[in-house]
Amino acid sequence: MVLRWPSVSEVTTVLVAMMFGRAVWQASRVFAVFDRAVVRTGAALDLVPLGKGAAPWLTRFSWRPLTAAPMVQAVTVMAIVVSGAVSLTSLVERIQAHVPFATSAFVAAVPASPQALLAGSVAVGTSGDVVFADVSKGNIQRLRVRLPLESARAVDHISVLANSAQMASAAVAFPDASDVAFAPNGDVYVADAKNHRICRIDRVTGKITTIAGDGSAGFDGDGGQAAQAALDSPVALAVAPNGNVYVADTGNNRIRVLNAATGIITTVAGGGAHVNGSVGDGGPARQATLERPSGIAVSPGGDLYISDTGHRLVRHVDSRTGMITTIAGDGVASVGNDDSVAVREHLTEPTGLAIVPFGSGMVLYVADQGASAVRLIRPDGTISTLTTGKRFVRPSRLAYHPLGWLIVKDASVDGLTAVRLPVRARFELAARRRAAPRKAT
């Protein structure tokens, strides 16, 4: 078990080392003075010295102190030694993990089969359960991560995501799942791009129900029941705190929302035409232009974040005004620089998104599939690359675990990678609905 105490630092380690050294030095002086005193006293009283058969150290040390003072000294020295060991452990942990905004982090790889590397997804629920769409097996697994999830044993704990050793329920057959997300009650939503629909899997029975899309590729049905509307290759989805389901209707270049209470579907972003090369920044989101959007995330406040993959941009829709702006990318397909203004840097193929809390704000993580990197957009509008002990291979989906882990799905032989972020905070993207208070009887 690795101890991580915020109060233990490099300064504490130095102080403990100094205290320990001083204690040893003082103890040696005391023994030297005592030894000289014994010799002088023996000479004055004409006492016979100890013979050669007795070990000299046995005459100076006793494993059972006869007075309280030696006992207190022994306990103090032991406490100093233990404190030094704990302090050094904590220092190593901090050196390993402490980088602002998680530009560097500890990595635990999760084995996955090669057939699952080009599709599939991962999501984390409010309870900490993980749902994994494994295309190689043609199913969706709901897994429960064992605790504690700490860096010293990360490989052991994270590996259960791939080998299903801690399955929370039976796997549900579902080939070609493009994305998954948790409903507030624990049900699982699935983006079935191949069949142009969005499905819901009951968390208890495993029953699959189509909630949006009639199975045909097209665009219609806005303002009507979602199950009767036409979608075109929806590849991503996200659940808002109020339970509404946002869908990246990729083939139609739109973001649509399914009202959880009424079942009505509407367009919230995209559908506009290019005007003098503009993509609609600064105007209503419904009049903006999107091109193959393939990743979405919803903040706790209801703001919408979109990976505008074809335009190589990350867009933001304000939930209060409905206005859309670009927050990252300049439209050029290239590998960007770090620690610079996000809207002036390049992205190649932004896909999956994940929102991670940071202080009173948040950090937005972006899977830049074409650059084989995960980028992060800070609250101050700057962008950097997440650096780890391994190189990602075309990362496509991201999910944040409330224990402080970013789970990355990519096309490497590892398949899933859990990255422990230095800044740990608990927060829920799809918050549980509060139960109505019971009346007193």
Side-chain angles (χ1 to χ4, degrees):
M1 178 179 179
V2 177
L3 298 178
R4 301 173 63 198
W5 298 349
S7 60
V8 180
S9 62
E10 296 89 338
V11 176
T12 307
T13 303
V14 173
L15 291 177
V16 169
M18 292 175 61
M19 291 173 60
F20 182 73
R22 183 176 177 82
V24 172
W25 177 70
Q26 287 182 331
S28 64
R29 291 193 61 191
V30 169
F31 283 125
V33 171
F34 179 76
D35 185 66
R36 288 196 296 270
V38 169
V39 172
R40 291 174 182 175
T41 303
L45 299 177
D46 293 329
L47 298 178
V48 179
L50 291 173
K52 295 183 179 180
W57 64 270
L58 288 177
T59 66
R60 300 181 183 181
F61 295 93
S62 173
W63 295 109
R64 295 183 180 180
L66 300 179
T67 62
M71 179 67 75
V72 171
Q73 281 189 340
V75 172
T76 302
V77 171
M78 289 299 298
I80 292 175
V81 172
V82 172
S83 298
V86 170
S87 192
L88 181 60
T89 302
S90 181
L91 176 59
V92 172
E93 175 73 5
R94 288 187 53 178
I95 291 174
Q96 180 187 50
H98 180 68
V99 177
F101 296 100
T103 56
S104 180
F106 176 84
V107 175
V110 183
S113 52
Q115 294 82 1
L117 303 180
L118 300 180
S121 185
V122 62
V124 179
T126 56
S127 65
D129 283 0
V130 176
V131 63
F132 174 47
D134 189 348
V135 177
S136 67
K137 298 179 181 178
N139 63 23
I140 296 176
Q141 306 166 24
R142 185 176 182 134
L143 310 172
R144 184 157 295 145
V145 179
R146 293 178 293 168
L147 300 176
L149 191 59
E150 292 291 349
S151 63
R153 303 180 64 184
V155 175
D156 294 336
H157 293 311
I158 290 293
S159 64
V160 303
L161 298 179
N163 62 30
S164 306
Q166 290 287 321
M167 291 191 64
S169 60
V172 176
F174 204 114
D176 304 318
S178 300
D179 200 5
V180 289
F182 274 96
N185 70 344
D187 290 355
V188 176
Y189 293 113
V190 185
D192 186 2
K194 184 176 181 180
N195 295 302
H196 315 290
R197 62 176 183 163
I198 303 296
C199 298
R200 182 172 186 147
I201 302 177
D202 188 278
R203 64 186 178 91
V204 178
T205 65
K207 181 181 179 180
I208 300 175
T209 305
T210 298
I211 62 170
D214 60 5
S216 61
F219 175 77
D220 66 26
D222 257 9
Q225 288 297 311
Q228 301 172 10
L231 304 174
D232 189 350
S233 305
V235 301
L237 49 80
V239 181
N242 62 2
N244 289 346
V245 182
Y246 287 83
V247 179
D249 194 354
T250 306
N252 288 318
N253 298 318
R254 288 172 168 84
I255 304 298
R256 305 173 79 175
V257 61
L258 167 61
N259 188 294
T262 64
I264 301 296
I265 191 171
T266 54
T267 296
V268 294
H274 282 282
V275 178
N276 298 324
S278 172
V279 294
D281 271 352
R286 294 188 61 178
Q287 298 176 15
T289 302
L290 301 176
E291 185 175 341
R292 293 186 292 108
S294 57
I296 46 179
V298 186
S299 74
D303 286 0
L304 180 64
Y305 295 87
I306 306 168
S307 280
D308 191 353
T309 306
H311 288 142
R312 297 170 288 277
L313 305 172
V314 177
R315 319 286 293 274
H316 166 245
V317 179
D318 191 293
S319 61
R320 298 168 298 176
T321 65
M323 309 296 278
I324 190 170
T325 55
T326 294
I327 62 171
D330 61 0
V332 178
S334 181
V335 178
N337 299 315
D338 288 339
D339 301 319
S340 56
V341 179
V343 293
R344 298 177 184 173
E345 285 305 324
H346 311 319
L347 296 172
T348 57
E349 194 177 355
T351 52
L353 301 174
I355 296 175
V356 176
F358 184 85
S360 59
M362 68 172 206
V363 176
L364 181 68
Y365 286 80
V366 183
D368 193 352
Q369 192 172 41
S372 290
V374 175
R375 310 297 297 278
L376 57 102
I377 305 171
R378 301 183 177 96
D380 62 1
T382 58
I383 190 170
S384 287
T385 301
L386 176 66
T387 56
T388 65
K390 62 162 282 183
R391 178 174 175 80
F392 298 113
V393 180
R394 296 188 61 80
S396 57
R397 294 296 175 213
L398 307 174
Y400 176 67
H401 196 285
L403 289 177
W405 291 80
L406 182 70
I407 301 177
V408 182
K409 189 206 173 295
D410 70 349
S412 68
V413 293
D414 296 325
L416 290 178
T417 301
V419 180
R420 183 178 54 79
L421 304 180
V423 180
R424 296 179 57 182
R426 296 181 178 274
F427 118 112
E428 302 168 347
L429 292 181
R432 294 180 181 273
R433 295 177 177 174
R434 295 182 179 178
R438 295 182 178 179
K439 296 182 179 180
T441 56

